[in-house]
Amino acid sequence: MSPPDARSEIAVRSERGVFLPEADLWLDPPSPKPRAFVSHAHADHFARHERIWCSSRTAELILARYGRPRKTLEIRAYEFGEEFSPAPGFAARLLPAGHIFGSAQIHLTRLSDGATLLYTGDFKTRPGLSCERCEAREAGTLIMETTFGLPRYRFPPPEEIHAQIARFAKETLEAGGVPAILGYSLGKAQEILAALGAAGIPAMQHDAVAQMSAVYRRHLDCVPAAAALDPANAAGHAVVVPPHLTRTGDFHKIPRRRTAMVTGWALDPSAKYRFRVDEAFPLSDHADYDDLLAYVEAVRPQRVLTLHGYAGEFAADLRNRGVEAWSLEGPDQLELGLGMDEAFDWARER
């Protein structure tokens, strides 16, 4: 393999999803494709593709959550750091993304000239209780998720938020109430359960959470066993429920409940009122503004392409800092000729 040219770049197209034409590979496309890398098992990053590349842990979660996709010919699952070839002329490795359990970045090398590309998928660099620690690797092109790409989004240390969640639960229990803590069924809920378990607080979990927790518990001791949600016997427990199920009858049967939402958007002053909860805790599965900047420094790319959230604003911020950066969605995409027809609502899993 010859040394990479100073401006050698792997081609990237944005067409209702991110596509690498030389490798004939889509990256987290929202609709079914012939060949796709799936960074993690959240619904907004998964579709029933014909052939899927992912981490072995994501494959396990996909099968547990969605079953064997009927039209999928093959799920090719790899361990972190294991080298494989998704297409002739390319070598690839998966790196932990730190978003949820099993979430992966993909690092590609074009063998003819050594050009490299790193796609983060959803990621965070802060350590979590229930997922692998994010790893960075230098690359010529960095395609990165920028959900919280504004300076006002700077998260407190996760251990502080874990302590706040535990304190909310203990104070509610001591007052004779039931703490109902809302978090997405895959990833956020298991992080909440791990924080409650570390504080010695017994928990109940909704069935949607329990299905995913079972996979986590096969690999991680930090996610404790939790009873199935039983409103009649919820007293003395913290209850972990996905936010979209708070409108169900079982949730409203929980006696003397106090609710808390766990989301990065809790940094916004209106969060408690927007989510209609008693408390909101800013614990996110995504990188904050400072982490995004630090990650660009760690990867040392020749160009950065941004996705999701404040993609245009963060790309402009990087350009002001002397980094070539462009959004794959939003106004500056026209300058690249890399149009994406529509953006998506990612907030539920943040």
Side-chain angles (χ1 to χ4, degrees), residues 177-300:
V178 175
I181 305 175
L182 311 181
Y184 194 67
S185 61
L186 172 55
K188 190 66 63 63
Q190 289 71 37
E191 188 76 4
I192 295 166
L193 287 169
L196 294 171
I201 299 169
M204 286 183 171
Q205 58 184 341
H206 189 277
D207 287 347
V209 175
Q211 183 185 26
M212 298 295 94
S213 295
V215 177
Y216 274 64
R217 284 179 49 77
R218 288 201 285 269
H219 300 273
L220 300 175
D221 294 333
C222 66
V223 178
L229 174 59
D230 178 4
N233 295 293
H237 298 81
V239 174
V240 181
V241 178
H244 70 286
L245 294 175
T246 57
R247 296 182 292 274
T248 63
D250 278 352
F251 184 80
H252 288 284
K253 292 176 185 176
I254 298 171
R256 300 191 64 186
R257 66 182 181 275
R258 292 186 71 228
T259 56
M261 182 73 172
V262 181
T263 171
W265 302 114
L267 283 181
D268 292 334
S270 63
K272 284 201 297 185
Y273 309 102
R274 181 171 18 138
F275 296 117
R276 299 180 182 179
V277 293
D278 298 296
E279 296 291 345
F281 299 111
L283 185 69
S284 179
D285 294 331
H286 297 258
D288 70 4
Y289 176 76
D290 289 337
D291 292 336
L292 293 172
L293 290 176
Y295 203 71
V296 172
E297 289 186 8
V299 176
R300 300 178 60 190

Side-chain angles (χ1 to χ4, degrees), residues 28 37-41 45 53-55 58 102-105 119-122:
D28 281 334
F37 167 68
V38 174
S39 64
H40 64 285
H45 285 250
W53 283 260
C54 63
S55 76
T58 290
S103 62
Q105 309 168 82
Y119 169 72
T120 66
D122 290 350

Side-chain angles (χ1 to χ4, degrees), residues 97-99 120-125 134 144-145 285-287 292 295:
H99 175 57
T120 66
D122 290 350
F123 80 109
K124 76 172 186 301
T125 60
C134 180
M144 67 186 307
E145 171 256 330
D285 294 331
H286 297 258
L292 293 172
Y295 203 71

Side-chain angles (χ1 to χ4, degrees), residues 97-122:
H99 175 57
I100 65 170
F101 179 70
S103 62
Q105 309 168 82
I106 186 168
H107 186 280
L108 287 164
T109 301
R110 187 168 58 201
L111 298 178
S112 62
D113 61 359
T116 52
L117 178 148
L118 176 64
Y119 169 72
T120 66
D122 290 350

Side-chain angles (χ1 to χ4, degrees), residues 55-216:
S55 76
S56 59
R57 295 177 175 186
T58 290
E60 203 171 334
L61 287 165
I62 286 173
L63 294 176
R65 195 173 202 205
Y66 309 107
R68 169 69 63 173
R70 284 179 296 175
K71 294 185 178 180
T72 298
L73 298 176
E74 187 177 4
I75 297 178
R76 298 185 176 182
Y78 297 92
E79 301 302 321
F80 292 121
E82 180 181 357
E83 184 172 309
F84 62 98
S85 178
F90 284 88
R93 280 188 170 86
L94 303 185
L95 306 175
H99 175 57
I100 65 170
F101 179 70
S103 62
Q105 309 168 82
I106 186 168
H107 186 280
L108 287 164
T109 301
R110 187 168 58 201
L111 298 178
S112 62
D113 61 359
T116 52
L117 178 148
L118 176 64
Y119 169 72
T120 66
D122 290 350
F123 80 109
K124 76 172 186 301
T125 60
R126 302 177 311 284
L129 296 174
S130 59
C131 65
E132 306 85 358
R133 185 71 183 263
C134 180
E135 295 180 13
R137 177 171 292 194
E138 291 187 9
T141 296
L142 171 62
I143 306 175
M144 67 186 307
E145 171 256 330
T146 55
T147 295
F148 292 106
L150 291 182
R152 73 169 180 262
Y153 292 111
R154 291 182 165 98
F155 298 126
E159 57 271 18
E160 289 185 13
I161 308 304
H162 294 149
Q164 290 174 20
I165 292 169
R167 184 162 57 250
F168 167 81
K170 286 181 177 179
E171 290 175 353
T172 301
L173 291 169
E174 289 168 358
V178 175
I181 305 175
L182 311 181
Y184 194 67
S185 61
L186 172 55
K188 190 66 63 63
Q190 289 71 37
E191 188 76 4
I192 295 166
L193 287 169
L196 294 171
I201 299 169
M204 286 183 171
Q205 58 184 341
H206 189 277
D207 287 347
V209 175
Q211 183 185 26
M212 298 295 94
S213 295
V215 177
Y216 274 64

